[in-house]
C-alpha cells in the first residue's frame, strides 16, 4: 500500500483563494476591509519569519495588515495598553500575538486581554469554552487546518478512533475537541502515556503533535490509518545542512498508512490559511453586528 499524500500546500491555496473572494464580497457589500493586527515582542528569528509570512499572506488576500514590533523588554503594562488600543480600533478585526512571549510576560494574561471577537487564534478562554461546548467561537488555526486536511480524504469520520499524541493548548487539546465534535472516539496521549506504540496502533486517525523528529514509527500505525503530522522539527544532515521533518517517520509510514500529511507541506501552510479565514469571519460578524 502507498498512502495518499494529503497536500496542505494545495488545500491552503484553495482556501486562500476562497478567502480572497470573501474579502472582496465583504468590501463590495459593506465597505469593510478585514484588518489583522500582528503583535511581535522581541526578536526571536523563527517568530520573525512566521510574522513576515502572516503579513504577506494577509495582504495577498486583500486584507489590511498592521504589525506592531515591540522590543524584547516591553513591559506587560505597555503590551496590555496596545491590546486595549487594538480592541477599540474598528479597523482591526483580528488580533494575533505571536507566541512565545519573552519570559517576563505572561501569555495567558495577554491572550485573556484580547477581545474574544477579535481572538482569531482561538486561544481566549471564551473561545476555548465555545469549542468544547460546540459553540461558534474561533477555533485554533492548526487543528482547524488539520480537520480540513482530514476531510479531503474522508468526510464522515463519526465513530472512528482518533489518537492525538500531544496535549498542548494550541494543538493537541483543541484537536481533541474538534474530533469529538465530529463524533470520533478520542484518546489524548502525552509524555506520561504508557504503551504509546500499541495505543497509536489502535488509531483510525493518528495526529502527531509532539515536536520530536520522526518519533512515530511505521510499526505504530494501523494499516490504512489517516495520519496528520503537525510536528515541525529541524534536523542536521550529514553534509552539514538541515531539513525539516515531522513527528512521523514519513517515508516508512507511506507503506502502511492510508493517507498522510507531509512535512513540510502539510498542516503548516493550512495554519496561516485558517488564520485568514478566521479573520474574514471576524470581520463579517462585526460588519453584521
Ligand atoms: P508542546 O511542546 O506544547 O507539546 C508537546 C506535547 O507532546 C506535550 O503534550 C508533551 O507531553 C507531548 N510529548 C512530548 N514528548 C512525548 C513523548 N515522548 N511521548 C508522548 N508525548 C510526548 O508542542 P506544541 O503542541 O506547541 O507543538 C507540537 C509540534 O507541532 C512542534 O513540533 C511544533 O513545532 C509543531 N507545531 C506546528 C504548527 C504548524 O503550523 N504546523 C503549529 C504549532 C505547533 P506533556 O504534556 O506530558 O509534556
Amino acid at each position: 500500500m502507498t498512502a495518499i499524500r494529503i497536500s496542505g500546500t494545495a488545500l491552503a491555496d484553495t482556501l486562500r483563494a476562497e478567502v480572497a473572494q470573501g474579502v472582496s464580497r465583504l468590501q463590495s457589500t459593506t465597505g469593510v476591509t478585514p484588518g489583522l493586527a500582528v503583535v511581535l515582542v522581541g526578536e526571536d528569528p523563527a517568530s520573525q519569519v512566521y510574522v513576515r509570512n502572516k503579513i504577506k499572506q494577509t495582504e495577498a488576500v486583500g486584507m489590511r495588515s498592521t504589525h506592531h514590533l515591540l522590543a524584547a523588554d516591553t513591559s506587560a503594562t505597555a503590551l496590555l495598553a496596545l491590546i486595549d488600543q487594538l480592541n477599540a480600533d474598528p479597523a482591526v478585526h483580528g488580533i494575533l500575538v505571536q507566541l512565545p512571549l519573552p519570559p517576563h510576560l505572561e501569555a495567558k494574561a495577554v491572550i485573556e486581554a484580547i477581545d474574544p471577537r477579535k481572538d482569531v487564534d482561538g486561544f481566549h478562554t471564551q473561545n476555548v469554552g465555545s469549542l468544547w461546548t460546540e459553540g461558534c467561537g474561533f477555533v485554533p488555526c492548526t487543528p482547524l487546518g488539520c480537520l480540513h486536511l482530514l476531510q479531503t480524504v474522508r468526510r464522515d469520520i463519526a465513530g472512528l478512533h482518533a489518537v492525538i499524541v500531544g496535549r498542548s493548548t494550541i494543538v493537541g487539546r483543541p484537536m481533541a475537541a474538534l474530533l469529538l465534535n465530529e463524533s470520533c472516539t478520542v484518546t489524548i496521549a502525552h509524555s506520561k502515556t504508557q504503551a504509546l506504540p500499541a495505543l497509536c496502533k489502535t488509531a483510525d486517525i493518528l495526529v502527531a503533535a509532539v515536536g520530536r523528529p520522526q518519533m512515530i514509527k511505521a510499526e505504530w500505525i494501523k494499516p490504512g490509518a489517516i495520519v496528520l503530522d503537525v510536528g515541525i522539527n529541524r534536523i542536521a544532515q550529514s553534509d552539514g545542512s538541515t531539513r525539516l521533518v515531522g513527528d512521523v517517520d514519513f517515508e516508512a509510514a507511506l507503506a502502511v498508512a492510508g493517507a498522510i500529511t507531509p512535512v513540510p507541506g502539510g498542516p503548516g501552510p493550512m495554519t496561516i490559511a485558517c488564520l485568514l479565514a478566521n479573520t474574514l469571519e471576524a470581520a463579517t460578524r462585526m460588519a453584521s453586528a
Side-chain angles (χ1 to χ4, degrees), residues 18-255:
E18 286 170 12
V19 171
Q21 281 173 7
V23 169
S24 65
R25 230 180 356 256
L26 187 68
Q27 283 168 329
S28 60
T29 53
T30 66
V32 170
T33 299
L36 176 67
V38 180
V39 179
L40 173 63
V41 187
E43 286 162 11
D44 176 62
S47 293
Q48 285 177 331
V49 173
Y50 290 139
V51 164
R52 268 201 301 276
N53 268 337
K54 284 167 185 169
I55 294 168
K56 205 169 111 195
Q57 292 193 31
T58 305
E59 291 170 353
V61 294
M63 293 185 187
R64 193 176 289 122
S65 157
T66 58
H67 46 283
H68 304 266
L69 308 179
L70 308 181
D73 62 356
T74 297
S75 68
T77 310
L79 179 54
L80 292 173
L82 172 61
I83 302 289
D84 277 350
Q85 184 194 316
L86 297 173
N87 281 340
D89 185 343
V92 172
H93 305 97
I95 301 170
L96 181 148
V97 177
Q98 184 65 45
L99 301 176
L101 290 170
H104 69 285
L105 295 170
E106 197 203 335
K108 189 160 174 45
V110 175
I111 288 164
E112 294 306 312
I114 297 172
D115 182 336
R117 292 169 303 171
K118 298 190 178 189
D119 169 42
V120 286
D121 255 339
F123 295 159
H124 189 285
T125 310
Q126 194 169 308
N127 285 316
V128 174
S130 168
L131 178 59
W132 283 98
T133 51
E134 297 188 79
C136 55
F138 290 108
V139 176
C141 303
T142 300
L144 183 58
C146 284
L147 181 64
H148 289 317
L149 288 166
L150 172 57
Q151 287 172 332
T152 64
V153 289
R154 182 144 177 183
R155 274 322 286 188
D156 183 11
I157 54 175
L160 297 187
H161 182 209
V163 173
I164 299 157
V165 191
R167 58 174 163 178
S168 73
T169 52
I170 62 168
V171 189
R173 289 171 199 242
M175 189 78 237
L178 271 178
L179 292 173
L180 189 60
N181 292 348
E182 295 293 322
S183 296
C184 289
T185 302
V186 178
T187 305
I188 309 178
H190 46 77
S191 67
K192 308 287 186 292
T193 297
Q194 295 178 6
L196 184 63
L199 177 65
C200 290
K201 193 125 194 180
T202 65
D204 304 303
I205 298 166
L206 181 61
V207 182
V210 181
R212 289 181 180 250
Q214 299 167 321
M215 181 185 96
I216 293 180
K217 307 297 176 201
E219 309 82 75
W220 301 19
I221 297 170
K222 181 177 178 176
I226 302 168
V227 181
L228 303 166
D229 190 355
V230 181
I232 300 177
N233 310 287
R234 189 167 286 284
I235 58 166
Q237 302 203 91
S238 50
D239 65 0
S241 64
T242 61
R243 72 181 176 107
L244 290 183
V245 297
D247 290 341
V248 179
D249 184 356
F250 180 77
E251 292 302 330
L254 276 175

